[in-house]
Amino acid sequence: VLTRDEAQTRAQLLDVRRYTIDLDLTTGDETFDSRTVIRFTVRADQDVTDTFVELKPAELRSVTLDGQPLDPETLDENRLPLKNLTAGDHELRVDAAMRYSHTGEGMHRFTDPTDGETYVYTQLFMDDVQRVFAAFDQPDLKAVFELSVKAPDGWTVLANGITEHTDGVWKAAPTPLISTYLVAVAAGPWHSVRTEHRGLPFGIHCRRSLAPYLDADADEILDVTRACYDRYHEKFEEPYPFDSYDQAFVPEFNAGAMENPGLVTFRDEFVYRSAVTDTERQTRAMVIAHEMAHMWFGDLVTLKWWDDIWLNESFAEYMGYQTLTEATRFTDTWTDFGVVRKGWGYDADQRPSTHPVAPEAVNDTASALLNFDGISYAKGASALRQLVAWLGEKDFLAGINTHFTRHRFGNATLADFIDSLAAATERDVHAWADAWLRTTGVDTLTPRVTGDNGTYTLTVERTGSRPHRIAVGLYDPDLTDEGRLTLRERLDLDIPQTDGRPIGKRPALLLLNDSDLTYAKVRFDPESFRAVRNGLSGLPEPLTRAVVWNALRDAVRDGELPPHTYLDTARAH
C-alpha cells in the first residue's frame, strides 16, 4: 500500500521521462515475460537519496541501475529499493516473469469455453500496474510509454496508441504523458469492426464467439461514439488528445468499464446476446459517453492523488448523462439517473460510513478504494449538476476549458479545479465548494404555503446548510382529463430565500426540485401530498414523476410516511 506521504516525497525527488516495455505473451499459460527500461531524473536540488520502484513478479531475473547490477533479493513485498541516487539522469532495467491473473487485476487471462480461444487484457487501476511491469506507481509521475508485445500467431494486440506488427511483435505508438494506471494492453484473436471518424481511427472489439452479436449492434455503438465525440468537441476547446479510439468488450471484467486513453475496456456483457430493453441500450450508451469524458477529465488532466478520484468520476458521470441527452436519441437520461443512481447516493450519504464528496485526507491507496461509492459517483455528479444550474453552463464550460489549458497532460487538485472555475465567474465558487464538497449528509427542503383569496406565497424551510438553486413546479388539475395534472409554471428559486415568493393562485401540487437540479430530499405540504396520492401517474413528464417517487421513498426511509401509504400509492400509480 502506497501512502500519500510516500507519494509526495517521491514526486519531489523524481521526474520520470519514459518507460520502454517489452512483454512476451508466448511463454506459457501461467506467466509472461516483462522487460522494462525506466528513464528518470533525480532533481538537481536533491542530495544523494533513496527511493523505490514497485513490482510484483513471479520471478525477478535481473535488475540493473545505470549499468550496475542490483540484487534481486532486495525486493521486499512489492518494493525494490533504489539507494544512493545522485542528482541527474538514471536508467533502470528490470527483467521479470509475471503471473497472469484470473481475478481481474493486472494481466487477466481468459480462455473462452465456447471455442477454446484465449484472450488477455490489463486492468492497472489504482496500484495494479506492478503486476505487469516495474513502475513508479503513482498518478502524478506521468511519463511517455513505449510498448512492444510479442503475441501468438493469429492474435491482435491493442494498446493506448495505434499498433503495427512484424513477425509476431506488435509495437504501439509512444503515448503522450500519461499516468501508470492508464497504460493498457488487450491481446487475442479479437473480432474487430473498424472505421474512421474525423480522421481518427475508431474500433470496437470482442472475442470471436460474440462476433455476431457485436456486428448486430455495431452501428448503434459507433453512432453513439461518433455523436459523443462530436458533442465533446463542441463543449471542449482542447481536441481529443490521443491518436486513436478503440473500445474493447472484454470477458470477466471486474468493473463496468475503464477509461484507458485510446483503449477503453468494457465488460462484455454490454455485447447483448438476447433481446434487451431500450433502458439497457441507454445504459450502455451512457457508459460509452462516461468513459469518453474521461479522455479529457482523468486522462488529459489527471488527479495528483487519489483524494480527488471523485472529481474524475463525478465529472464523467455528469458529462455522460448530459451529453447523451444532447447528442443522441436517448433524451431522457436524467430520469434514469434520478431513478437508478441518485438513490445510491442518498443511501450511502445517510450511513455512518458517509464521507465528503471531496475528502481532505486519503492517506493511502487502500483508503482511496473505499471511496468508490454512491457519493463519489451519484452525489458528486448531482453536485456538479447543481453547480451548472447555479453558475450557468456558459461559465461552467469556460472554467472547464481553462482547467484543461492550464493542466493539459499534467496533474491537478480540487483547488486547481475550483480556481479555474473561479476565473470564469464573479460568484464565490470557493464558498460553494466548501459547502457542497467538504460536508456530509443530505439537506431536506420543505415548502410552506401561506395566503388566501388567490394570492399565495411560498417559503422553503431548509434542514442543512448548502445553498440550492432549484426549479419549483406549480401543477393544476387538467380540466379536460380527470386525474391528470398540467404544469402551470416552473419558478427558479435560490435557497436560502431572502423573502417569500409569490405564486398567485394555490396550485394543486407544488413540487420542489422539479427537474431534479439539486441533491436534496424534498417534502410536500398537505395539499400537494393529496394531489400526489390522487394524480402521480398523471404528471406529464417522467423526470417529474421520478422526483416525486424519490421524495416518497425518502419520507418512508425517514419514518415520516407509513410504508402502507407508499405501497397504496405504488399500487395506484
Side-chain angles (χ1 to χ4, degrees), residues 220-232 235-236 240 245 247 249 257 259 264 266 270 281-297 312-328 330 333:
E220 179 178 302
I221 292 169
L222 290 169
D223 282 349
V224 168
T225 304
R226 285 186 285 258
C228 291
Y229 182 90
D230 290 346
R231 186 63 179 141
Y232 284 135
K235 290 174 175 286
F236 304 150
Y240 174 75
Y245 198 72
Q247 297 174 99
F249 296 87
E259 66 269 19
V264 178
F266 298 82
F270 283 127
R281 294 186 179 279
Q282 176 178 281
T283 298
R284 180 174 65 189
M286 208 297 290
V287 178
I288 291 171
H290 174 113
E291 301 306 327
M292 191 182 288
H294 275 308
M295 298 299 114
W296 286 266
F297 218 110
N312 279 15
E313 298 306 338
S314 300
F315 182 87
E317 187 94 341
Y318 168 77
M319 278 294 173
Y321 279 100
Q322 184 64 26
T323 302
L324 209 62
T325 297
E326 296 169 353
T328 73
F330 300 109
T333 56

Side-chain angles (χ1 to χ4, degrees), residues 4 15 111 162 185 228 237 294 356 407 420:
R4 178 180 186 145
D15 286 316
T111 299
I162 295 172
V185 175
C228 291
E237 295 170 3
H294 275 308
H407 305 288
S420 295

Side-chain angles (χ1 to χ4, degrees), residues 367-415:
S367 301
L369 203 55
L370 298 176
N371 290 339
F372 277 80
D373 57 12
I375 295 172
S376 293
Y377 283 78
K379 182 180 180 180
S382 299
L384 287 180
R385 193 172 192 219
Q386 171 62 191
L387 176 61
V388 174
W390 178 74
L391 202 59
E393 187 177 45
K394 181 180 177 181
D395 287 351
F396 176 75
L397 290 177
I400 291 297
N401 283 308
T402 296
H403 190 64
F404 293 156
T405 300
R406 286 177 174 176
H407 305 288
R408 67 189 300 272
F409 294 116
N411 299 84
T413 64
L414 170 63

Side-chain angles (χ1 to χ4, degrees), residues 423-482:
T425 181
E426 295 181 356
R427 290 187 172 236
D428 191 349
V429 185
H430 293 88
W432 183 94
D434 286 341
W436 270 91
L437 305 178
R438 298 298 195 190
T439 59
T440 62
V442 187
D443 289 1
T444 301
L445 308 178
T446 304
R448 300 288 180 235
V449 180
T450 56
D452 54 25
N453 296 325
T455 304
Y456 287 85
T457 300
L458 166 66
T459 304
V460 178
E461 296 179 359
R462 176 188 60 173
T463 302
S465 59
R466 298 186 187 107
H468 298 267
R469 183 168 180 81
I470 65 171
V472 180
L474 307 181
Y475 291 86
D476 297 322
D478 187 336
L479 300 179
T480 65
D481 188 349
E482 186 177 355

Side-chain angles (χ1 to χ4, degrees), residues 475-477 485 488 506-510 525 527-529 531-532:
Y475 291 86
D476 297 322
L485 294 163
R488 180 206 310 171
R506 163 78 222 200
L509 167 62
L510 188 149
D525 67 281
E527 190 164 335
S528 293
F529 183 64
V532 162

Side-chain angles (χ1 to χ4, degrees), residues 509-520:
L509 167 62
L510 188 149
L511 180 59
L512 302 182
N513 198 28
D514 204 358
S515 304
D516 208 21
L517 296 177
T518 198
Y519 174 89

